[in-house]
Amino acid sequence: MRAARLIKLVLLLQSRPSMTAGELARELEVSERTVARDVLSLSEAGVPVYADRGRSGGYRLIGGYRTRLTGLGRSEAEALFLSGVPSALREMGLADVASAARLKVSAALLPELRDAASGAAQRFHLDAPRWYHAPQTPELLPVIADAVWDDRRLTARYLRAGREVARELEPYGLVLKAGVWYLAARAAAGPPDGVPATPAGAGFRVYRVDRFTAAQPAVPVDGPPDGRAAGDTARTGHFVRDPDFDLPAFWAERAEQFRRSLLREEAVVRLSPHGVRQLPHVTEPAAAEEAVERATAEGGPDERGWLTVTLAVESQEVAYAQLLALGPEVEALAPAALRERFAAAARRAAALYSPVPEEDTGTR
């Protein structure tokens, strides 16, 4: 949108001494003519932008000019990046902070651009929870979220395999997946000076937030108020964040590991062309696509167009329940027990749909 582009243009010029029309055009992904029109609009609105002519020329702001966006506090700026996920903000207790940040941004905009936020909100919305599941906010989520923002250790109790265990954690990040909150954390086992005791990126685990039964931030012990003095992190309840930790990359890796750990068995099936297209909709999509690609590369469909695939499945029970949805578009080949279950289901279905004999009325 033009409003966002104008803001970005001002911020680009604010962060650099000078930029050419070509440089701005590349950053904004528009033409140089559009850049010239935007600069003129900003100038007419009172933003002190001017152009230097010549080979070394470019656009710049009159020295010292700053937008009021710099009035954002740290927590407001962090919350602003989450403002597209209002349900997540509410659950983490950050709705008020995000509201204050949006007001400050709105105040810094040109008058004709101040409806940009409401305009965007009426056009785009992220609905994180799954269908058919009532969203439930874990009671301890705000406490855990505060610890994540503040790099503060957590003393917690967690339900694992039906029993409660105590944990001292370094909470690195929160992930909202299909309406369920997860915490990426590492056991707090660092030496007294707070230097990480494990190699970069090692020792991290994933915890479901709704399985925490207790959580409280570590209590500072005679430390400075902000707890940020070098060498005092352990004493003040904070931890040293691993600079190499990448939350999106970590989550993607663990999610893939989890997906593969579930698919411990295999089923061999023949699929009609329609069955091939429907397979990702009834089984794990990535596993279905991998199986079809492998079978296509190794031999491809037979003369009838049917494709034989070896599919990774969670269990034979799950495979039966999922593949049964394909009806006559799939034939189970192996293992033998799975094939027999499909054969038995086919016989029962045939009996249900066989023609009903007409009632004998005795008339000749």
Side-chain angles (χ1 to χ4, degrees):
M1 293 185 298
R2 187 165 187 259
R5 189 175 71 241
L6 290 174
I7 295 170
K8 186 175 181 180
L9 194 157
V10 174
L11 293 177
L12 285 169
L13 293 178
Q14 183 173 298
S15 63
R16 306 179 194 182
S18 177
M19 293 184 71
T20 67
E23 290 171 338
L24 286 168
R26 285 192 295 273
E27 290 279 357
L28 301 172
E29 298 181 346
V30 296
S31 67
E32 293 187 19
R33 180 173 294 182
T34 298
V35 169
R37 286 199 297 265
D38 287 350
V39 168
L40 179 60
S41 297
L42 289 170
S43 180
E44 291 175 347
V47 178
V49 186
Y50 72 97
D52 283 332
R53 300 186 180 278
R55 294 182 59 184
S56 60
Y59 293 105
R60 68 179 68 210
L61 293 170
I62 292 177
Y65 177 82
R66 308 290 292 179
T67 72
R68 284 177 288 174
L69 289 172
T70 52
L72 288 176
R74 179 180 179 83
S75 61
E76 293 169 342
E78 289 171 335
L80 190 59
F81 285 104
L82 291 170
S83 60
V85 195
S87 60
L89 283 169
R90 286 193 299 271
E91 293 180 7
M92 288 191 292
L94 296 173
D96 291 341
V97 175
S99 177
R102 287 193 295 270
L103 285 173
K104 287 188 177 183
V105 171
S106 179
L109 295 176
L110 301 173
E112 62 269 26
L113 303 180
R114 288 176 185 167
D115 63 345
S118 61
Q122 293 303 318
R123 289 167 174 79
F124 301 99
H125 174 67
L126 176 62
D127 184 11
R130 296 179 295 168
W131 288 104
Y132 313 121
H133 288 76
Q136 295 182 344
T137 303
E139 182 180 351
L140 295 171
L141 178 60
V143 174
I144 294 172
D146 284 344
V148 169
W149 284 119
D150 202 29
D151 291 346
R152 187 179 292 276
R153 295 186 180 201
L154 275 175
T155 301
R157 300 193 67 82
Y158 186 78
L159 288 176
R160 182 178 295 280
R163 64 188 184 91
E164 196 175 62
V165 296
R167 290 288 184 267
E168 191 80 14
L169 299 174
E170 296 176 350
Y172 269 68
L174 286 163
V175 175
L176 178 61
K177 170 70 172 178
V180 179
W181 285 95
Y182 297 89
L183 172 69
R186 163 165 87 177
D193 62 0
V195 177
T198 53
F204 291 95
R205 301 189 67 170
V206 174
Y207 301 84
R208 274 187 63 143
V209 175
D210 58 7
R211 292 182 184 168
F212 282 98
T213 58
Q216 61 181 18
V219 179
V221 180
D222 298 328
D226 62 1
R228 299 294 180 173
D232 282 342
T233 53
R235 185 162 56 86
T236 58
H238 291 83
F239 64 91
V240 176
R241 178 172 283 268
D242 184 342
D244 294 329
F245 180 76
D246 183 333
L247 180 59
F250 167 79
W251 179 258
E253 179 184 354
R254 290 304 171 93
E256 177 63 15
Q257 290 175 0
F258 178 72
R259 181 186 72 83
R260 292 187 179 279
S261 72
L262 292 178
L263 306 178
R264 297 182 294 270
E265 300 185 31
E266 290 184 341
V268 182
V269 298
R270 287 179 68 239
L271 296 159
S272 70
H274 181 67
V276 170
R277 292 192 296 271
Q278 292 301 310
L279 186 64
H281 300 291
V282 299
T283 63
E284 207 284 321
E289 291 169 3
E290 290 172 7
V292 169
E293 289 177 4
R294 186 168 56 249
T296 302
E298 291 175 354
D302 60 18
E303 64 278 1
R304 294 177 55 201
W306 285 57
L307 185 68
T308 300
V309 305
T310 300
L311 179 68
V313 296
E314 185 174 341
S315 67
Q316 301 305 320
E317 186 73 27
V318 172
Y320 171 74
Q322 292 176 335
L323 295 172
L324 196 62
L326 295 179
E329 308 301 329
V330 61
E331 178 190 2
L333 302 178
L338 180 63
R339 179 176 177 83
E340 177 52 36
R341 290 194 67 175
F342 271 90
R347 288 192 293 269
R348 293 198 303 272
L352 286 173
Y353 291 99
S354 60
V356 179
E358 293 183 7
E359 183 178 354
D360 188 353
T361 61
T363 304
R364 291 291 185 267

PDB file of all heavy atoms in Angstrom, residues 29-59:
ATOM      1  N   GLU A  29      10.747  -1.421  -4.407  1.00  0.00           N
ATOM      2  CA  GLU A  29      10.200  -2.250  -5.480  1.00  0.00           C
ATOM      3  C   GLU A  29       9.176  -1.476  -6.316  1.00  0.00           C
ATOM      4  O   GLU A  29       8.069  -1.960  -6.602  1.00  0.00           O
ATOM      5  CB  GLU A  29       9.584  -3.539  -4.915  1.00  0.00           C
ATOM      6  CG  GLU A  29      10.602  -4.411  -4.198  1.00  0.00           C
ATOM      7  CD  GLU A  29      10.003  -5.688  -3.658  1.00  0.00           C
ATOM      8  OE1 GLU A  29       8.754  -5.787  -3.608  1.00  0.00           O
ATOM      9  OE2 GLU A  29      10.766  -6.592  -3.288  1.00  0.00           O
ATOM     10  N   VAL A  30       9.549  -0.257  -6.683  1.00  0.00           N
ATOM     11  CA  VAL A  30       8.719   0.584  -7.550  1.00  0.00           C
ATOM     12  C   VAL A  30       9.638   1.225  -8.592  1.00  0.00           C
ATOM     13  O   VAL A  30      10.852   1.024  -8.596  1.00  0.00           O
ATOM     14  CB  VAL A  30       7.981   1.684  -6.743  1.00  0.00           C
ATOM     15  CG1 VAL A  30       6.991   1.070  -5.770  1.00  0.00           C
ATOM     16  CG2 VAL A  30       8.976   2.568  -5.999  1.00  0.00           C
ATOM     17  N   SER A  31       9.060   2.025  -9.474  1.00  0.00           N
ATOM     18  CA  SER A  31       9.858   2.724 -10.483  1.00  0.00           C
ATOM     19  C   SER A  31      10.433   4.014  -9.899  1.00  0.00           C
ATOM     20  O   SER A  31       9.970   4.523  -8.874  1.00  0.00           O
ATOM     21  CB  SER A  31       8.981   3.060 -11.692  1.00  0.00           C
ATOM     22  OG  SER A  31       7.992   4.018 -11.332  1.00  0.00           O
ATOM     23  N   GLU A  32      11.441   4.551 -10.569  1.00  0.00           N
ATOM     24  CA  GLU A  32      12.034   5.814 -10.128  1.00  0.00           C
ATOM     25  C   GLU A  32      11.019   6.956 -10.241  1.00  0.00           C
ATOM     26  O   GLU A  32      11.049   7.901  -9.441  1.00  0.00           O
ATOM     27  CB  GLU A  32      13.289   6.119 -10.949  1.00  0.00           C
ATOM     28  CG  GLU A  32      14.428   5.143 -10.698  1.00  0.00           C
ATOM     29  CD  GLU A  32      15.720   5.554 -11.392  1.00  0.00           C
ATOM     30  OE1 GLU A  32      15.841   6.752 -11.757  1.00  0.00           O
ATOM     31  OE2 GLU A  32      16.596   4.693 -11.580  1.00  0.00           O
ATOM     32  N   ARG A  33      10.121   6.879 -11.219  1.00  0.00           N
ATOM     33  CA  ARG A  33       9.086   7.901 -11.362  1.00  0.00           C
ATOM     34  C   ARG A  33       8.161   7.882 -10.136  1.00  0.00           C
ATOM     35  O   ARG A  33       7.764   8.944  -9.635  1.00  0.00           O
ATOM     36  CB  ARG A  33       8.287   7.667 -12.643  1.00  0.00           C
ATOM     37  CG  ARG A  33       7.181   8.697 -12.857  1.00  0.00           C
ATOM     38  CD  ARG A  33       6.536   8.530 -14.214  1.00  0.00           C
ATOM     39  NE  ARG A  33       7.470   8.829 -15.292  1.00  0.00           N
ATOM     40  CZ  ARG A  33       7.154   8.799 -16.578  1.00  0.00           C
ATOM     41  NH1 ARG A  33       5.929   8.479 -16.953  1.00  0.00           N
ATOM     42  NH2 ARG A  33       8.048   9.080 -17.493  1.00  0.00           N
ATOM     43  N   THR A  34       7.835   6.670  -9.654  1.00  0.00           N
ATOM     44  CA  THR A  34       7.010   6.572  -8.445  1.00  0.00           C
ATOM     45  C   THR A  34       7.737   7.156  -7.245  1.00  0.00           C
ATOM     46  O   THR A  34       7.135   7.833  -6.401  1.00  0.00           O
ATOM     47  CB  THR A  34       6.630   5.102  -8.175  1.00  0.00           C
ATOM     48  OG1 THR A  34       5.856   4.613  -9.275  1.00  0.00           O
ATOM     49  CG2 THR A  34       5.814   4.969  -6.894  1.00  0.00           C
ATOM     50  N   VAL A  35       9.037   6.909  -7.148  1.00  0.00           N
ATOM     51  CA  VAL A  35       9.832   7.491  -6.058  1.00  0.00           C
ATOM     52  C   VAL A  35       9.744   9.012  -6.103  1.00  0.00           C
ATOM     53  O   VAL A  35       9.547   9.671  -5.077  1.00  0.00           O
ATOM     54  CB  VAL A  35      11.299   7.028  -6.143  1.00  0.00           C
ATOM     55  CG1 VAL A  35      12.167   7.841  -5.185  1.00  0.00           C
ATOM     56  CG2 VAL A  35      11.407   5.547  -5.828  1.00  0.00           C
ATOM     57  N   ALA A  36       9.877   9.592  -7.303  1.00  0.00           N
ATOM     58  CA  ALA A  36       9.820  11.053  -7.438  1.00  0.00           C
ATOM     59  C   ALA A  36       8.460  11.585  -6.987  1.00  0.00           C
ATOM     60  O   ALA A  36       8.385  12.617  -6.298  1.00  0.00           O
ATOM     61  CB  ALA A  36      10.099  11.450  -8.881  1.00  0.00           C
ATOM     62  N   ARG A  37       7.374  10.880  -7.351  1.00  0.00           N
ATOM     63  CA  ARG A  37       6.044  11.323  -6.928  1.00  0.00           C
ATOM     64  C   ARG A  37       5.887  11.210  -5.411  1.00  0.00           C
ATOM     65  O   ARG A  37       5.302  12.086  -4.768  1.00  0.00           O
ATOM     66  CB  ARG A  37       4.972  10.495  -7.641  1.00  0.00           C
ATOM     67  CG  ARG A  37       4.781  10.835  -9.105  1.00  0.00           C
ATOM     68  CD  ARG A  37       3.435  10.329  -9.609  1.00  0.00           C
ATOM     69  NE  ARG A  37       3.365   8.878  -9.518  1.00  0.00           N
ATOM     70  CZ  ARG A  37       3.651   8.045 -10.520  1.00  0.00           C
ATOM     71  NH1 ARG A  37       4.028   8.546 -11.683  1.00  0.00           N
ATOM     72  NH2 ARG A  37       3.549   6.747 -10.369  1.00  0.00           N
ATOM     73  N   ASP A  38       6.403  10.120  -4.827  1.00  0.00           N
ATOM     74  CA  ASP A  38       6.300   9.948  -3.378  1.00  0.00           C
ATOM     75  C   ASP A  38       7.079  11.023  -2.640  1.00  0.00           C
ATOM     76  O   ASP A  38       6.621  11.551  -1.617  1.00  0.00           O
ATOM     77  CB  ASP A  38       6.809   8.564  -2.973  1.00  0.00           C
ATOM     78  CG  ASP A  38       5.848   7.451  -3.358  1.00  0.00           C
ATOM     79  OD1 ASP A  38       4.709   7.771  -3.759  1.00  0.00           O
ATOM     80  OD2 ASP A  38       6.221   6.270  -3.243  1.00  0.00           O
ATOM     81  N   VAL A  39       8.263  11.347  -3.125  1.00  0.00           N
ATOM     82  CA  VAL A  39       9.069  12.390  -2.489  1.00  0.00           C
ATOM     83  C   VAL A  39       8.346  13.725  -2.549  1.00  0.00           C
ATOM     84  O   VAL A  39       8.337  14.494  -1.574  1.00  0.00           O
ATOM     85  CB  VAL A  39      10.454  12.479  -3.152  1.00  0.00           C
ATOM     86  CG1 VAL A  39      11.189  13.748  -2.712  1.00  0.00           C
ATOM     87  CG2 VAL A  39      11.283  11.253  -2.827  1.00  0.00           C
ATOM     88  N   LEU A  40       7.710  14.021  -3.682  1.00  0.00           N
ATOM     89  CA  LEU A  40       6.956  15.269  -3.815  1.00  0.00           C
ATOM     90  C   LEU A  40       5.795  15.300  -2.820  1.00  0.00           C
ATOM     91  O   LEU A  40       5.550  16.332  -2.184  1.00  0.00           O
ATOM     92  CB  LEU A  40       6.427  15.389  -5.249  1.00  0.00           C
ATOM     93  CG  LEU A  40       5.598  16.650  -5.549  1.00  0.00           C
ATOM     94  CD1 LEU A  40       6.429  17.911  -5.312  1.00  0.00           C
ATOM     95  CD2 LEU A  40       5.081  16.617  -6.986  1.00  0.00           C
ATOM     96  N   SER A  41       5.095  14.178  -2.666  1.00  0.00           N
ATOM     97  CA  SER A  41       3.983  14.118  -1.711  1.00  0.00           C
ATOM     98  C   SER A  41       4.468  14.346  -0.290  1.00  0.00           C
ATOM     99  O   SER A  41       3.834  15.067   0.488  1.00  0.00           O
ATOM    100  CB  SER A  41       3.286  12.763  -1.812  1.00  0.00           C
ATOM    101  OG  SER A  41       2.713  12.586  -3.092  1.00  0.00           O
ATOM    102  N   LEU A  42       5.598  13.749   0.059  1.00  0.00           N
ATOM    103  CA  LEU A  42       6.152  13.938   1.397  1.00  0.00           C
ATOM    104  C   LEU A  42       6.551  15.381   1.631  1.00  0.00           C
ATOM    105  O   LEU A  42       6.310  15.957   2.693  1.00  0.00           O
ATOM    106  CB  LEU A  42       7.363  13.016   1.607  1.00  0.00           C
ATOM    107  CG  LEU A  42       7.063  11.517   1.742  1.00  0.00           C
ATOM    108  CD1 LEU A  42       8.350  10.709   1.703  1.00  0.00           C
ATOM    109  CD2 LEU A  42       6.306  11.237   3.034  1.00  0.00           C
ATOM    110  N   SER A  43       7.157  15.986   0.620  1.00  0.00           N
ATOM    111  CA  SER A  43       7.582  17.383   0.736  1.00  0.00           C
ATOM    112  C   SER A  43       6.383  18.306   0.923  1.00  0.00           C
ATOM    113  O   SER A  43       6.396  19.211   1.763  1.00  0.00           O
ATOM    114  CB  SER A  43       8.383  17.790  -0.501  1.00  0.00           C
ATOM    115  OG  SER A  43       8.809  19.130  -0.406  1.00  0.00           O
ATOM    116  N   GLU A  44       5.312  18.060   0.152  1.00  0.00           N
ATOM    117  CA  GLU A  44       4.109  18.879   0.265  1.00  0.00           C
ATOM    118  C   GLU A  44       3.442  18.707   1.627  1.00  0.00           C
ATOM    119  O   GLU A  44       2.764  19.606   2.113  1.00  0.00           O
ATOM    120  CB  GLU A  44       3.132  18.511  -0.854  1.00  0.00           C
ATOM    121  CG  GLU A  44       3.612  18.938  -2.239  1.00  0.00           C
ATOM    122  CD  GLU A  44       2.681  18.450  -3.338  1.00  0.00           C
ATOM    123  OE1 GLU A  44       1.827  17.581  -3.026  1.00  0.00           O
ATOM    124  OE2 GLU A  44       2.805  18.914  -4.487  1.00  0.00           O
ATOM    125  N   ALA A  45       3.644  17.531   2.250  1.00  0.00           N
ATOM    126  CA  ALA A  45       3.042  17.277   3.555  1.00  0.00           C
ATOM    127  C   ALA A  45       3.906  17.795   4.698  1.00  0.00           C
ATOM    128  O   ALA A  45       3.537  17.633   5.865  1.00  0.00           O
ATOM    129  CB  ALA A  45       2.807  15.782   3.729  1.00  0.00           C
ATOM    130  N   GLY A  46       5.060  18.385   4.384  1.00  0.00           N
ATOM    131  CA  GLY A  46       5.884  18.976   5.428  1.00  0.00           C
ATOM    132  C   GLY A  46       7.105  18.183   5.819  1.00  0.00           C
ATOM    133  O   GLY A  46       7.857  18.606   6.712  1.00  0.00           O
ATOM    134  N   VAL A  47       7.322  17.031   5.210  1.00  0.00           N
ATOM    135  CA  VAL A  47       8.544  16.267   5.499  1.00  0.00           C
ATOM    136  C   VAL A  47       9.691  16.897   4.708  1.00  0.00           C
ATOM    137  O   VAL A  47       9.600  17.009   3.479  1.00  0.00           O
ATOM    138  CB  VAL A  47       8.374  14.784   5.112  1.00  0.00           C
ATOM    139  CG1 VAL A  47       9.667  14.011   5.375  1.00  0.00           C
ATOM    140  CG2 VAL A  47       7.218  14.168   5.884  1.00  0.00           C
ATOM    141  N   PRO A  48      10.792  17.321   5.357  1.00  0.00           N
ATOM    142  CA  PRO A  48      11.857  18.075   4.675  1.00  0.00           C
ATOM    143  C   PRO A  48      12.768  17.191   3.830  1.00  0.00           C
ATOM    144  O   PRO A  48      13.910  16.890   4.192  1.00  0.00           O
ATOM    145  CB  PRO A  48      12.615  18.708   5.846  1.00  0.00           C
ATOM    146  CG  PRO A  48      12.423  17.767   6.984  1.00  0.00           C
ATOM    147  CD  PRO A  48      11.039  17.208   6.821  1.00  0.00           C
ATOM    148  N   VAL A  49      12.258  16.730   2.694  1.00  0.00           N
ATOM    149  CA  VAL A  49      13.042  15.926   1.756  1.00  0.00           C
ATOM    150  C   VAL A  49      13.497  16.824   0.614  1.00  0.00           C
ATOM    151  O   VAL A  49      12.709  17.621   0.099  1.00  0.00           O
ATOM    152  CB  VAL A  49      12.196  14.770   1.172  1.00  0.00           C
ATOM    153  CG1 VAL A  49      13.042  13.861   0.309  1.00  0.00           C
ATOM    154  CG2 VAL A  49      11.537  13.983   2.280  1.00  0.00           C
ATOM    155  N   TYR A  50      14.761  16.706   0.241  1.00  0.00           N
ATOM    156  CA  TYR A  50      15.207  17.474  -0.918  1.00  0.00           C
ATOM    157  C   TYR A  50      16.182  16.641  -1.731  1.00  0.00           C
ATOM    158  O   TYR A  50      16.695  15.624  -1.264  1.00  0.00           O
ATOM    159  CB  TYR A  50      15.833  18.804  -0.506  1.00  0.00           C
ATOM    160  CG  TYR A  50      17.192  18.718   0.136  1.00  0.00           C
ATOM    161  CD1 TYR A  50      18.352  18.910  -0.609  1.00  0.00           C
ATOM    162  CD2 TYR A  50      17.313  18.451   1.489  1.00  0.00           C
ATOM    163  CE1 TYR A  50      19.595  18.830  -0.014  1.00  0.00           C
ATOM    164  CE2 TYR A  50      18.551  18.381   2.094  1.00  0.00           C
ATOM    165  CZ  TYR A  50      19.703  18.568   1.338  1.00  0.00           C
ATOM    166  OH  TYR A  50      20.930  18.489   1.924  1.00  0.00           O
ATOM    167  N   ALA A  51      16.414  17.070  -2.972  1.00  0.00           N
ATOM    168  CA  ALA A  51      17.241  16.298  -3.888  1.00  0.00           C
ATOM    169  C   ALA A  51      18.506  17.068  -4.241  1.00  0.00           C
ATOM    170  O   ALA A  51      18.470  18.282  -4.474  1.00  0.00           O
ATOM    171  CB  ALA A  51      16.457  15.988  -5.163  1.00  0.00           C
ATOM    172  N   ASP A  52      19.635  16.355  -4.254  1.00  0.00           N
ATOM    173  CA  ASP A  52      20.898  16.885  -4.764  1.00  0.00           C
ATOM    174  C   ASP A  52      21.059  16.405  -6.196  1.00  0.00           C
ATOM    175  O   ASP A  52      20.931  15.210  -6.476  1.00  0.00           O
ATOM    176  CB  ASP A  52      22.082  16.370  -3.927  1.00  0.00           C
ATOM    177  CG  ASP A  52      22.200  17.103  -2.610  1.00  0.00           C
ATOM    178  OD1 ASP A  52      21.783  18.262  -2.559  1.00  0.00           O
ATOM    179  OD2 ASP A  52      22.702  16.501  -1.641  1.00  0.00           O
ATOM    180  N   ARG A  53      21.335  17.319  -7.094  1.00  0.00           N
ATOM    181  CA  ARG A  53      21.503  16.939  -8.486  1.00  0.00           C
ATOM    182  C   ARG A  53      22.957  16.571  -8.752  1.00  0.00           C
ATOM    183  O   ARG A  53      23.842  16.820  -7.945  1.00  0.00           O
ATOM    184  CB  ARG A  53      21.064  18.075  -9.413  1.00  0.00           C
ATOM    185  CG  ARG A  53      19.595  18.453  -9.217  1.00  0.00           C
ATOM    186  CD  ARG A  53      19.137  19.470 -10.242  1.00  0.00           C
ATOM    187  NE  ARG A  53      17.739  19.823 -10.044  1.00  0.00           N
ATOM    188  CZ  ARG A  53      16.713  19.106 -10.478  1.00  0.00           C
ATOM    189  NH1 ARG A  53      16.950  17.989 -11.154  1.00  0.00           N
ATOM    190  NH2 ARG A  53      15.479  19.481 -10.254  1.00  0.00           N
ATOM    191  N   GLY A  54      23.191  15.955  -9.910  1.00  0.00           N
ATOM    192  CA  GLY A  54      24.551  15.578 -10.285  1.00  0.00           C
ATOM    193  C   GLY A  54      24.801  14.093 -10.091  1.00  0.00           C
ATOM    194  O   GLY A  54      23.961  13.342  -9.586  1.00  0.00           O
ATOM    195  N   ARG A  55      26.019  13.662 -10.496  1.00  0.00           N
ATOM    196  CA  ARG A  55      26.348  12.239 -10.455  1.00  0.00           C
ATOM    197  C   ARG A  55      26.343  11.683  -9.028  1.00  0.00           C
ATOM    198  O   ARG A  55      26.010  10.535  -8.798  1.00  0.00           O
ATOM    199  CB  ARG A  55      27.723  12.004 -11.084  1.00  0.00           C
ATOM    200  CG  ARG A  55      27.764  12.309 -12.588  1.00  0.00           C
ATOM    201  CD  ARG A  55      29.123  12.003 -13.160  1.00  0.00           C
ATOM    202  NE  ARG A  55      29.470  10.588 -12.958  1.00  0.00           N
ATOM    203  CZ  ARG A  55      30.646  10.060 -13.296  1.00  0.00           C
ATOM    204  NH1 ARG A  55      31.589  10.834 -13.836  1.00  0.00           N
ATOM    205  NH2 ARG A  55      30.888   8.788 -13.091  1.00  0.00           N
ATOM    206  N   SER A  56      26.736  12.468  -8.074  1.00  0.00           N
ATOM    207  CA  SER A  56      26.791  12.010  -6.690  1.00  0.00           C
ATOM    208  C   SER A  56      25.558  12.457  -5.890  1.00  0.00           C
ATOM    209  O   SER A  56      25.562  12.407  -4.671  1.00  0.00           O
ATOM    210  CB  SER A  56      28.058  12.529  -6.003  1.00  0.00           C
ATOM    211  OG  SER A  56      28.069  13.949  -6.013  1.00  0.00           O
ATOM    212  N   GLY A  57      24.545  12.912  -6.610  1.00  0.00           N
ATOM    213  CA  GLY A  57      23.364  13.418  -5.935  1.00  0.00           C
ATOM    214  C   GLY A  57      22.446  12.325  -5.455  1.00  0.00           C
ATOM    215  O   GLY A  57      22.715  11.127  -5.590  1.00  0.00           O
ATOM    216  N   GLY A  58      21.343  12.746  -4.867  1.00  0.00           N
ATOM    217  CA  GLY A  58      20.364  11.798  -4.360  1.00  0.00           C
ATOM    218  C   GLY A  58      19.376  12.509  -3.455  1.00  0.00           C
ATOM    219  O   GLY A  58      19.409  13.737  -3.303  1.00  0.00           O
ATOM    220  N   TYR A  59      18.493  11.743  -2.873  1.00  0.00           N
ATOM    221  CA  TYR A  59      17.515  12.304  -1.955  1.00  0.00           C
ATOM    222  C   TYR A  59      18.052  12.220  -0.528  1.00  0.00           C
ATOM    223  O   TYR A  59      18.721  11.255  -0.148  1.00  0.00           O
ATOM    224  CB  TYR A  59      16.196  11.529  -2.048  1.00  0.00           C
ATOM    225  CG  TYR A  59      15.489  11.705  -3.375  1.00  0.00           C
ATOM    226  CD1 TYR A  59      15.506  10.684  -4.326  1.00  0.00           C
ATOM    227  CD2 TYR A  59      14.801  12.888  -3.671  1.00  0.00           C
ATOM    228  CE1 TYR A  59      14.852  10.841  -5.546  1.00  0.00           C
ATOM    229  CE2 TYR A  59      14.153  13.038  -4.879  1.00  0.00           C
ATOM    230  CZ  TYR A  59      14.183  12.025  -5.813  1.00  0.00           C
ATOM    231  OH  TYR A  59      13.548  12.174  -7.008  1.00  0.00           O
TER     232      TYR A  59
END
